Amino acid sequence: STPNYESLDYEVCENTLFQDEQREQLAERFSLRKDIIRWIIFIQIGIITALIACSIDIIIEELSELKYQFLIKSVQENVPLSDATEGDLVIPYLYWLLFSILPVAFGAAMVTYIEPITAGSGIPQVKSYLNGVKIPRIVRIKTLAVKAIGVITSVVGGLAGGKEGPMIHAGAVVAAGISQGKSTTFVKDFRIFKAFRDDHEKRDFVLGGGAAGVSAAFGAPIGGMLFSLEEAASFWNQNLIWRTLVASIISVFTLNIVLSAYHGLNDFTFTGLFNLGKFDQPLKFDYFELPIFMILGVSGGLLGAAWNSLNTKINKFRKRFIPWKIGKVIEAVVVAIMGVTLACLMIYFINDCRPLGNDPTNNPVQLFCEDNEYNAVAALWFQTPEATVRSLFHDPPGSHKILTLALFTVVYYVLSCATFGLNVSLGVFIPTALVGAAWGRLLAMVTFYFFPQAEFLHPGKYALIGAAANLGGVLRMTISLSVILMETTGVESSFFFPLIIALISAKWVGDYFNEGIYDTQIQVNHVPMLTWEPLPQYKGLTAQKILSSPVVCIKLRDSAHYIYQMLKKCEHNGFPVVDNVEGNRRSEGRVCGIILRSQLIVILLKSLYVENKRFWLPETSIQTFRDLYPRYPSIKSVRKLDEKINYTVDLSMFMNPSPVRVNPHDSVPRIFQIFRALGLRHLLVINNENRIAGIITRRDFIYK
Amino acid sequence: STPNYESLDYEVCENTLFQDEQREQLAERFSLRKDIIRWIIFIQIGIITALIACSIDIIIEELSELKYQFLIKSVQENVPLSDATEGDLVIPYLYWLLFSILPVAFGAAMVTYIEPITAGSGIPQVKSYLNGVKIPRIVRIKTLAVKAIGVITSVVGGLAGGKEGPMIHAGAVVAAGISQGKSTTFVKDFRIFKAFRDDHEKRDFVLGGGAAGVSAAFGAPIGGMLFSLEEAASFWNQNLIWRTLVASIISVFTLNIVLSAYHGLNDFTFTGLFNLGKFDQPLKFDYFELPIFMILGVSGGLLGAAWNSLNTKINKFRKRFIPWKIGKVIEAVVVAIMGVTLACLMIYFINDCRPLGNDPTNNPVQLFCEDNEYNAVAALWFQTPEATVRSLFHDPPGSHKILTLALFTVVYYVLSCATFGLNVSLGVFIPTALVGAAWGRLLAMVTFYFFPQAEFLHPGKYALIGAAANLGGVLRMTISLSVILMETTGVESSFFFPLIIALISAKWVGDYFNEGIYDTQIQVNHVPMLTWEPLPQYKGLTAQKILSSPVVCIKLRDSAHYIYQMLKKCEHNGFPVVDNVEGNRRSEGRVCGIILRSQLIVILLKSLYVENKRFWLPETSIQTFRDLYPRYPSIKSVRKLDEKINYTVDLSMFMNPSPVRVNPHDSVPRIFQIFRALGLRHLLVINNENRIAGIITRRDFIYK
Ligand SMILES: Nc1ncnc2c1ncn2[C@@H]1O[C@H](COP(=O)(O)OP(=O)(O)OP(=O)(O)O)[C@@H](O)[C@H]1O
Ligand SMILES: Nc1ncnc2c1ncn2[C@@H]1O[C@H](COP(=O)(O)OP(=O)(O)OP(=O)(O)O)[C@@H](O)[C@H]1O
Ligand SMILES: [Mg+2]
Ligand SMILES: [Mg+2]
């Protein structure tokens, strides 16, 4: 029952119709116009993605503020203010439960009943899409709406998750939507510009959208661009990258305008774009700290790998024992209740009072503390996870007890592990950074406790390194992650080195045990993603070993009947076109091209037969095929052929005449490189006489 | 008489010997070892490149300091200190001439007589190399030495150039040297690790070296990585990029350690890595400034295009009228004299005295000024161009007269244009930034003079935008340039947008007129560089139109005599291997593979014939071929075949059995993409029966 994912057609089919169009367009300077429109779309993607990200951001901020203000007031009413170190937390606890259960239940229900694909962070899905796998419904507007509401409800509900994954997904949806000028959700075709209606163009736009999304989520334009590259690009196309960078920068700029205005600043001076907080002073470090950073990295790798494997186990358990929809909603609620309860217990039992004054928390809670003191435990819990990361980075030394932080780390580690995989929309970046920041800071505090002369143990610095290590251990996206961290905390370039050390060690140690969390999710879902290098077990093989044969082929001129029957019988999406066939032994013919199932269906649907050529030839163009994109009807929607059963199809003007061909003795690493670099869907294996010997698709590199 | 550049063999030849090696290595976990060594080499590249960059940097700083201190003293001795506004500048002028002529003449002589390839910035050459063109002697240690001395002498000599281009070249040389463990200059083979001895691996290392060089030159690790990508990468290989980023970061880190130590700081807190100076306060801007930035961008595009075309004309003139070596040295000296003279005239005739105090210049010169004042004109000239850029970015408003800056801009524009193309080692980045900063600042000052209420006209900000615009107009390297500028000035991400606006407008306007200066240089030298997209005139063509035929082919089993004669007769580097040949009509045979000239020469040299197979077969491996890399002997070094004239060569174990093949009717854009994405050298065109129809090389995409 594993879903049968299909691939995108990134390869451009250069058939006669396409060439005709090209020739026409060459005359009317069409490509310049197309280029300009493409730029405009990329700019729009940047702006709209940022606006959506802003809205999500602001709504979350406002609602969370309301919620925590209310809770604080309730605490203050129920716990006598001064001189009381005892009091009743039951009422606030109940309120807290209420304000967690309501949004979480609502969000989980939306996700479960309306659009299950919106569960999780969305990054694995976008990543798969950019890799060339068609994920159904992933770039629809409905998906975007559910995702946005989902992420707002879950963050406001207090689940251990962040908003960044969904924002990236949002960017992808925006890109697909704008570039296609057509929405399936609203069954509306804006009929503006159709030249971008193919998988190739769409995927390029989605690349830009993803980048804009990352940029908006982190205020990190270069990191955004690199994220898209790291996750997606196979061929380095300079113009595409440049457009992506511009979309990212515009996205960050828009974010800045809106947030500046929202915070009542002029001059676009809102610096909150460093959304993990800018360090006041340049972070310094000493030679002898480098090994410590490396140890932190190794710990990050170990903890991350453990987190990944635990999370995978939990999710397997879930899949098996909670198949019902209502069960998934209840489960989300249970985790929310668990979170609130653990937090309350911590607040109740740990007595960690700190003097008011230079504390950086927005909502100091006095709770069980003297006047002029605030409760450090409550301060950790009474805000969004993102704000807590900021606190851990920037709170002055001595802002927490060791016990507080130790318990917090453990609780959050478990909570985040239980949360990722729930049927809610949530990213994993922020909780991972939070856990890392917590244990990084904790380590510095513990060490400082034993060696009070070690002044280099700046807790904020170690929180940052810990966050990097933990992120490296869980996500393993090294390039973009390092740049995002640099941009999002605004550290000086001299501090890049410690960050990189932590990241590398974490990645290497983690890779020894398992894969990054996104890749794990992709594998669990049996998405046929192509890795960067061929899988190790394929390294010594030749094409011969992985090809499929006999191949279902079509003759250059074949009967409508055969095509119809063949399409009904098999599920493949690409068929070599052959000539020089003896009798019916098509699968030994000589290759002239390749044709896609979708094209064949259009041919049958529109009756593009040789016998009635004069009717359709004048008005048939590449547009005939593009009109039905992206949801070509299935063969079932083609009525029985009856009277046309003996008609003939001549594929020479429809097929792709230049499929990429390799030999049976070519090594798999080599053909893999060709497959990936050119973004292919089908690779034909031919013998020395150009006769078909087999066919290779994405799956054959993974499951054979 | 245009040089006939050959290509690099980026494609891996997967012949039987290679597969044998692979199989052996698979057994001994060789690839893990290779991976580790590769990482170590990348780290070494980062460190050594940074050390070289540091040395160049420090020597230039020290020598320039000495020079200008001496000149200032001489000025002070010859121009009466207080109350004198007249004085004699002749002695200082002569000294200045001396200190310019000596180093420049020395540097120009070194470049001209010892290693002419070191002339210029080196970026075009590195770029060509990374693009796949073999530039003779470009990555030798001797080249590096001459280049280093060359750039020191010319910057100290006061020519209008920067050190960054040569640093990038230095990185490339370091990378090639370290990775090969073999130096042609010292005729030494360190015999350490031979697995990296092929063009593919070497080019990947050079990519990392270039990135490390950029990073060291600008203190911009991400910019460095992107520079390499923008200039070079065709296939986005995640691991390669990651290694490149790490090399860049290590390079910046090393730089930081050394420079911190040099400046007597501990904690690696040297922030001079922002080597165009970090802005004290976040740069602010208003909505209505965006159009102004765009206008600046357009001006940058115009000025840049004019500069490029003027420079090209000057260089053409040079090539034609100054063919003699000594003439080239004299010319460099003349330009140096011109520079000094113009500077002296400006200092003498312009009376621009500013109060001492908050001036940021290191060497205030009183020259013709009252006590407690310094001469703003002298301040501009009495330092390296890089320091002048910093001054223009960071000097407080009102540091110069309008006239001073206007004249300075004009003089420097002309000077830099005359300088680039001299036979000295110099980069064009810094002078271009300087000219841009000058006119940017000038524009702000002039406008402020007319609208004194326009307080947004912060001259430093406009200097930065001007520099970006001018760089965009001259270099047109948009992606890496923008990131380098962001990193090297440490602006906040909200200011990326203005920078991008200026860069884009400059690039677009400039592109309308001509190409970037590096590309122009490449074209002038007839280097067959592949652009990103096929040239416009090729867009509508098919492979048929650009292929070469008849093709010189070799039979799978062919006579030594034929091969020997054929190699003597023609100069091609790749020959299709065919079978199924009727008589001698090889060029109509059926394709089985392709073989390189260098391989054939090794076969002849080592007498690898069928007839004496038992002698060589056991000891022949891929290493036999790799040993001679990279300088394979020419066919002339093969002695006449005499007794072996009738021997036979069987190519089946030597040839590359999987050449990429296309059809005659494939479109040029498509085959171009394949050619570029796979880094090919030869592309075979075959007909429907797999018989050879033609061959396509790099040149055919450019000159046909
Ligand atoms: N025309 C064909 N004839 C025979 N086998 C094929 C053909 N096309 C694909 N296969 C094989 O069938 C298996 C499943 O491939 P599948 O039919 O899903 O390919 P596809 O749908 O055309 O491409 P994708 O699934 O990547 O979109 C693979 O092992 C593949 O090699
Ligand atoms: N074996 C061949 N037979 C016939 N023509 C060839 C052959 N090889 C190359 N050519 C053609 O000769 C011209 C010059 O190519 P050249 O001989 O320089 O190629 P090469 O040296 O093999 O490759 P490169 O110059 O890129 O290193 C090109 O137009 C090319 O198409
Ligand atoms: Mg399929
Ligand atoms: Mg050649």
Coordinates of all heavy atoms in Angstrom, one line a residue, chain B residues 4-9 132 528 546-553 570-576 596 675 681-682 695-700 704, ligand 2:
Chain B
N4 N 46.4 28.1 -29.6 CA 45.4 27.1 -29.7 C 45.2 26.4 -28.4 O 45.9 25.4 -28.0 CB 45.9 26.1 -30.8 CG 44.9 25.0 -31.0 OD1 43.7 25.2 -30.6 ND2 45.3 23.9 -31.6
Y5 N 44.3 26.9 -27.6 CA 44.0 26.4 -26.3 C 43.4 25.0 -26.4 O 42.5 24.8 -27.2 CB 43.1 27.3 -25.5 CG 43.8 28.6 -25.1 CD1 43.4 29.8 -25.8 CD2 44.7 28.7 -24.1 CE1 44.0 31.0 -25.5 CE2 45.3 29.9 -23.8 CZ 44.9 31.0 -24.5 OH 45.5 32.2 -24.1
E6 N 43.8 24.1 -25.5 CA 43.2 22.8 -25.5 C 42.3 22.7 -24.2 O 42.4 23.6 -23.3 CB 44.3 21.7 -25.4 CG 45.2 21.7 -26.6 CD 44.5 21.4 -27.9 OE1 43.4 20.9 -27.9 OE2 45.1 21.6 -29.0
S7 N 41.5 21.7 -24.2 CA 40.6 21.6 -23.0 C 41.1 20.6 -22.0 O 42.0 19.8 -22.3 CB 39.2 21.0 -23.5 OG 38.7 21.8 -24.6
L8 N 40.5 20.7 -20.8 CA 40.8 19.7 -19.8 C 39.9 18.5 -20.0 O 38.8 18.6 -20.5 CB 40.5 20.3 -18.4 CG 41.3 21.5 -18.0 CD1 40.8 22.1 -16.7 CD2 42.8 21.1 -17.8
D9 N 40.4 17.4 -19.5 CA 39.6 16.1 -19.6 C 38.8 15.9 -18.3 O 39.2 15.2 -17.4 CB 40.5 14.9 -19.9 CG 41.1 15.0 -21.2 OD1 40.3 15.1 -22.2 OD2 42.3 15.0 -21.3
G132 N 37.2 24.8 -17.9 CA 37.6 23.6 -18.7 C 38.7 23.8 -19.7 O 38.9 22.9 -20.5
P528 N 38.6 29.7 -25.7 CA 37.3 29.1 -26.0 C 36.5 28.8 -24.7 O 36.3 27.7 -24.4 CB 37.6 27.9 -26.8 CG 38.9 27.5 -26.3 CD 39.7 28.7 -25.9
I546 N 26.7 22.2 -36.6 CA 27.9 22.6 -35.9 C 28.9 21.5 -35.9 O 30.1 21.7 -35.5 CB 27.7 23.2 -34.5 CG1 27.1 22.2 -33.6 CG2 26.8 24.4 -34.6 CD1 27.2 22.6 -32.1
L547 N 28.5 20.3 -36.3 CA 29.4 19.2 -36.1 C 30.6 19.2 -37.2 O 30.4 19.9 -38.2 CB 28.7 17.8 -36.2 CG 27.8 17.5 -37.4 CD1 28.7 17.2 -38.7 CD2 26.9 16.4 -37.1
S548 N 31.7 18.6 -36.9 CA 32.8 18.4 -37.8 C 32.7 17.1 -38.4 O 32.6 16.1 -37.7 CB 34.1 18.6 -37.1 OG 34.2 19.8 -36.5
S549 N 32.8 17.0 -39.7 CA 32.9 15.7 -40.4 C 33.6 15.9 -41.7 O 33.7 17.0 -42.2 CB 31.5 15.1 -40.6 OG 30.9 15.6 -41.7
P550 N 34.3 14.9 -42.2 CA 34.4 13.5 -41.7 C 35.3 13.5 -40.5 O 36.2 14.3 -40.3 CB 35.0 12.7 -42.8 CG 35.8 13.8 -43.6 CD 35.0 15.0 -43.5
V551 N 35.0 12.5 -39.6 CA 35.7 12.4 -38.3 C 36.9 11.5 -38.5 O 36.8 10.4 -39.1 CB 34.8 11.9 -37.2 CG1 35.5 11.9 -35.9 CG2 33.5 12.8 -37.2
V552 N 38.0 11.9 -37.9 CA 39.2 11.0 -37.9 C 38.9 9.9 -36.9 O 38.8 10.3 -35.7 CB 40.4 11.8 -37.6 CG1 41.6 10.8 -37.7 CG2 40.6 12.9 -38.6
C553 N 38.8 8.7 -37.3 CA 38.5 7.6 -36.3 C 39.6 6.6 -36.3 O 40.4 6.5 -37.2 CB 37.2 6.9 -36.7 SG 35.8 8.0 -36.7
C570 N 47.4 14.9 -37.8 CA 46.3 15.8 -37.4 C 46.5 16.1 -35.9 O 47.2 15.5 -35.2 CB 44.9 15.2 -37.6 SG 44.5 14.0 -36.5
E571 N 45.9 17.2 -35.5 CA 46.2 17.7 -34.2 C 45.0 17.5 -33.2 O 45.1 18.0 -32.1 CB 46.4 19.2 -34.3 CG 47.6 19.6 -35.1 CD 48.4 20.7 -34.4 OE1 47.8 21.8 -34.2 OE2 49.5 20.4 -34.0
H572 N 44.0 16.8 -33.6 CA 42.9 16.5 -32.7 C 43.3 15.8 -31.4 O 44.3 15.1 -31.4 CB 41.8 15.8 -33.4 CG 41.3 16.4 -34.6 ND1 41.0 17.7 -34.7 CD2 41.2 15.9 -35.9 CE1 40.6 18.0 -35.9 NE2 40.8 16.9 -36.7
N573 N 42.6 15.9 -30.4 CA 42.9 15.2 -29.1 C 42.0 14.1 -28.8 O 42.3 13.3 -27.8 CB 42.9 16.2 -28.0 CG 44.1 17.0 -27.9 OD1 45.2 16.5 -27.6 ND2 44.0 18.3 -28.3
G574 N 40.9 13.9 -29.6 CA 40.1 12.8 -29.3 C 39.6 12.1 -30.6 O 39.4 12.8 -31.6
F575 N 39.6 10.8 -30.5 CA 39.3 10.0 -31.8 C 38.3 8.9 -31.4 O 38.5 8.1 -30.5 CB 40.5 9.4 -32.3 CG 41.6 10.4 -32.6 CD1 42.6 10.6 -31.6 CD2 41.6 11.2 -33.7 CE1 43.6 11.5 -31.8 CE2 42.6 12.1 -33.9 CZ 43.6 12.3 -33.0
P576 N 37.1 9.0 -32.1 CA 36.2 7.9 -31.9 C 36.8 6.5 -32.3 O 37.5 6.5 -33.2 CB 35.0 8.2 -32.8 CG 35.2 9.7 -33.2 CD 36.7 9.9 -33.1
L596 N 41.8 9.2 -26.3 CA 42.4 10.5 -26.3 C 43.8 10.4 -26.9 O 44.4 9.3 -26.8 CB 42.6 11.0 -24.9 CG 41.3 11.4 -24.2 CD1 41.5 11.8 -22.8 CD2 40.5 12.5 -24.9
F675 N 26.6 19.1 -22.8 CA 28.1 19.3 -22.9 C 28.6 20.0 -21.6 O 29.6 19.6 -21.0 CB 28.4 20.2 -24.1 CG 29.8 20.1 -24.6 CD1 30.3 19.1 -25.4 CD2 30.7 21.1 -24.1 CE1 31.6 19.1 -25.8 CE2 32.1 21.0 -24.5 CZ 32.5 20.1 -25.4
R681 N 34.5 17.0 -23.2 CA 35.4 17.6 -24.2 C 35.1 17.2 -25.6 O 35.2 18.0 -26.5 CB 36.8 17.0 -23.8 CG 37.9 17.6 -24.6 CD 39.3 17.1 -24.1 NE 40.3 17.8 -24.8 CZ 41.6 17.5 -24.7 NH1 42.0 16.6 -23.9 NH2 42.5 18.2 -25.4
H682 N 34.6 16.0 -25.8 CA 34.1 15.6 -27.1 C 32.7 15.0 -27.0 O 32.4 14.3 -26.1 CB 35.1 14.5 -27.7 CG 36.5 14.9 -27.8 ND1 37.4 14.6 -26.8 CD2 37.1 15.6 -28.7 CE1 38.6 15.1 -27.2 NE2 38.4 15.7 -28.3
I695 N 31.6 15.0 -35.0 CA 32.1 15.2 -33.6 C 32.0 16.7 -33.3 O 32.1 17.6 -34.2 CB 33.6 14.8 -33.6 CG1 34.1 14.7 -32.1 CG2 34.5 15.7 -34.4 CD1 35.4 13.9 -32.0
I696 N 31.7 17.0 -32.0 CA 31.6 18.4 -31.6 C 32.5 18.6 -30.4 O 32.5 17.8 -29.5 CB 30.1 18.6 -31.2 CG1 29.2 18.5 -32.4 CG2 30.0 20.0 -30.5 CD1 27.7 18.7 -32.1
T697 N 33.3 19.6 -30.5 CA 34.1 20.0 -29.3 C 33.7 21.4 -28.9 O 32.9 22.1 -29.5 CB 35.6 20.0 -29.6 OG1 35.9 21.1 -30.5 CG2 36.0 18.7 -30.2
R698 N 34.3 21.9 -27.8 CA 34.1 23.2 -27.3 C 34.1 24.3 -28.3 O 33.3 25.2 -28.4 CB 35.2 23.4 -26.3 CG 35.4 24.7 -25.7 CD 36.6 24.6 -24.8 NE 36.3 23.8 -23.6 CZ 35.9 24.3 -22.5 NH1 35.6 25.5 -22.4 NH2 35.6 23.4 -21.5
R699 N 35.1 24.2 -29.2 CA 35.2 25.3 -30.2 C 34.0 25.4 -31.1 O 33.7 26.5 -31.6 CB 36.4 25.0 -31.2 CG 37.7 25.3 -30.5 CD 38.9 24.8 -31.3 NE 40.0 25.0 -30.4 CZ 40.6 26.2 -30.2 NH1 40.2 27.2 -31.0 NH2 41.5 26.3 -29.3
D700 N 33.4 24.3 -31.4 CA 32.3 24.3 -32.3 C 31.1 25.1 -31.8 O 30.2 25.5 -32.5 CB 31.9 22.8 -32.7 CG 33.0 22.1 -33.3 OD1 33.7 22.7 -34.1 OD2 33.2 20.9 -32.9
K704 N 31.7 28.4 -34.7 CA 31.1 27.9 -35.9 C 29.8 28.6 -36.3 O 29.2 29.3 -35.5 CB 30.8 26.4 -35.8 CG 31.8 25.6 -36.6 CD 31.5 24.2 -36.8 CE 32.6 23.5 -37.5 NZ 32.8 22.2 -37.0
Ligands
LIG2 N1 38.7 13.3 -34.4 C1 38.3 14.3 -35.1 N2 38.0 14.3 -36.4 C2 37.6 15.3 -37.1 N3 37.4 16.5 -36.6 C3 37.7 16.7 -35.3 C4 38.1 15.6 -34.5 N4 38.3 16.1 -33.2 C5 38.0 17.4 -33.2 N5 37.6 17.7 -34.5 C6 37.2 19.1 -34.9 O1 38.3 19.9 -35.1 C7 38.1 21.2 -34.7 C8 39.2 21.5 -33.7 O2 39.1 20.7 -32.6 P1 40.4 20.2 -31.8 O3 41.1 19.3 -32.7 O4 41.1 21.3 -31.2 O5 39.7 19.3 -30.7 P2 40.5 18.7 -29.5 O6 41.8 19.2 -29.4 O7 40.2 17.3 -29.5 O8 39.6 19.3 -28.2 P3 40.0 20.7 -27.4 O9 40.6 21.6 -28.4 O10 38.7 21.1 -26.9 O11 40.9 20.2 -26.4 C9 36.7 21.2 -34.1 O12 35.9 21.9 -34.9 C10 36.4 19.8 -33.9 O13 35.0 19.6 -34.1

